[in-house]
Amino acid sequence: MTTLFIADLHLEDKRPQLTRILCDFLGDQARRADALYILGDLFEFWIGDDVLSETARKVASAIRQLSDAGVPCYFIHGNRDFLLGEDYAAKAGLQLLPEVCIADLYGTPTLLLHGDTLCTDDVDYQAFRTQVRNPQFQAMFLNMTPEQRLEMAANARDASKQQSSGKSMDIMDVNATAVRALFEQHAVDQMIHGHTHRPAVHQHVLAGGTKAQRVVLADWRGSGSYLQVTAQGMETIPLPA
């Protein structure tokens, strides 16, 4: 029995090799899993279910085949693909999850999330996140033409990269107090997330001395990998290029 996790693939048409690696993974290793969880930023950007790139179509077909083969595929929105909606999810056979949820991983309740909400020291980003998650903003954006949406998304991405280059890595990483608060709010001692592109296993001490574990998934900047969770433990496994 095994459950697989991936995040931060940032797929787009100009990087077809990553899409190929994902499709190979979905047709091979993922077929032997109990479930697959995608914890956000599957795509570099998402401007609406009505405007599908070649990459989005290929990925939908590959995930649908996995889902039809009996492997449940779950998705938590990231900061790049938060507009991915029910139409695309239905096409791909994805089950959309809330931004924070708990999965029972072989007897261990585990918090799952993308991870951007934990980066509370990045005040500018959190303000931007609040703006773009507003239903009125999203309705306005989706009423634009595809060309207008694409231009707006590209400008937002460029601005984010420029702002990030001037920030310290500590500011863009998770806030330890926010992490402990989330652990204690949900009364669990294991968490898996992505977003920070800083794969690691962190140990935390909660109120009363309880120990907790936080696993950060690797991104797919250069190559692919997945986290494999079994009753015996966890292992990050690289994928062939």
Side-chain angles (χ1 to χ4, degrees):
M1 299 179 70
T2 180
T3 301
L4 307 183
F5 295 85
I6 56 176
D8 300 295
L9 284 69
H10 295 273
L11 301 177
E12 55 182 332
D13 285 353
K14 68 180 183 181
R15 293 194 288 177
Q17 72 279 9
L18 291 184
T19 302
R20 177 186 56 77
I21 292 171
L22 173 65
C23 290
D24 288 347
F25 162 71
L26 294 173
D28 186 4
Q29 296 92 336
R31 288 293 181 103
R32 299 185 288 276
D34 296 314
L36 171 67
Y37 288 85
I38 304 170
L39 302 189
D41 285 3
L42 175 60
F43 298 101
E44 175 69 358
F45 58 86
W46 194 265
I47 61 172
D49 289 5
D50 59 326
V51 186
L52 297 185
S53 64
E54 179 183 355
T55 296
R57 295 180 189 278
K58 288 181 178 178
V59 170
S61 176
I63 297 176
R64 166 58 71 180
Q65 291 178 45
L66 178 63
S67 176
D68 287 348
V71 180
C73 300
Y74 302 101
F75 180 81
I76 291 179
H77 293 96
N79 56 295
R80 298 297 185 94
D81 48 19
F82 58 88
L83 283 175
L84 190 152
E86 295 284 355
D87 287 350
Y88 185 79
K91 182 187 296 290
L94 282 170
Q95 300 181 48
L96 301 181
L97 298 176
E99 64 179 38
V100 177
C101 66
I102 297 177
D104 186 342
L105 296 181
Y106 313 105
T108 301
T110 303
L111 271 174
L112 307 178
L113 65 160
H114 177 57
D116 58 330
T117 53
L118 299 172
C119 301
T120 55
D121 292 330
D122 193 344
V123 177
D124 292 338
Y125 168 72
Q126 294 300 332
F128 174 77
R129 186 184 191 281
T130 298
Q131 176 189 4
V132 298
R133 295 298 181 109
N134 184 296
Q136 291 181 330
F137 175 90
Q138 293 182 5
M140 177 272 294
F141 180 81
L142 293 173
N143 280 329
M144 293 179 174
T145 66
E147 293 76 17
Q148 290 172 323
R149 283 182 258 165
L150 188 60
E151 180 180 6
M152 190 171 179
N155 289 339
R157 178 175 58 177
D158 292 344
S160 175
K161 289 181 178 178
Q162 184 175 5
Q163 291 173 1
S164 296
S165 66
K167 295 177 181 177
S168 72
M169 291 302 295
D170 288 342
I171 287 178
M172 293 186 291
D173 202 355
V174 302
N175 176 281
T177 300
V179 169
R180 287 194 297 271
L182 194 63
F183 270 128
E184 292 167 0
Q185 175 187 348
H186 294 277
V188 300
D189 56 17
Q190 184 164 276
M191 179 189 302
I192 300 174
H193 70 82
H195 180 66
T196 64
H197 297 196
R198 303 171 94 177
V201 178
H202 300 273
Q203 305 300 325
H204 298 269
V205 179
L206 310 180
T210 301
K211 294 182 179 179
Q213 175 175 271
R214 177 172 61 91
V215 181
V216 184
L217 300 176
D219 64 273
W220 284 35
R221 279 176 292 185
S223 60
S225 67
Y226 61 96
L227 178 70
Q228 176 179 277
V229 181
T230 67
Q232 288 70 45
M234 300 182 179
E235 181 182 4
T236 297
I237 300 177
L239 289 166

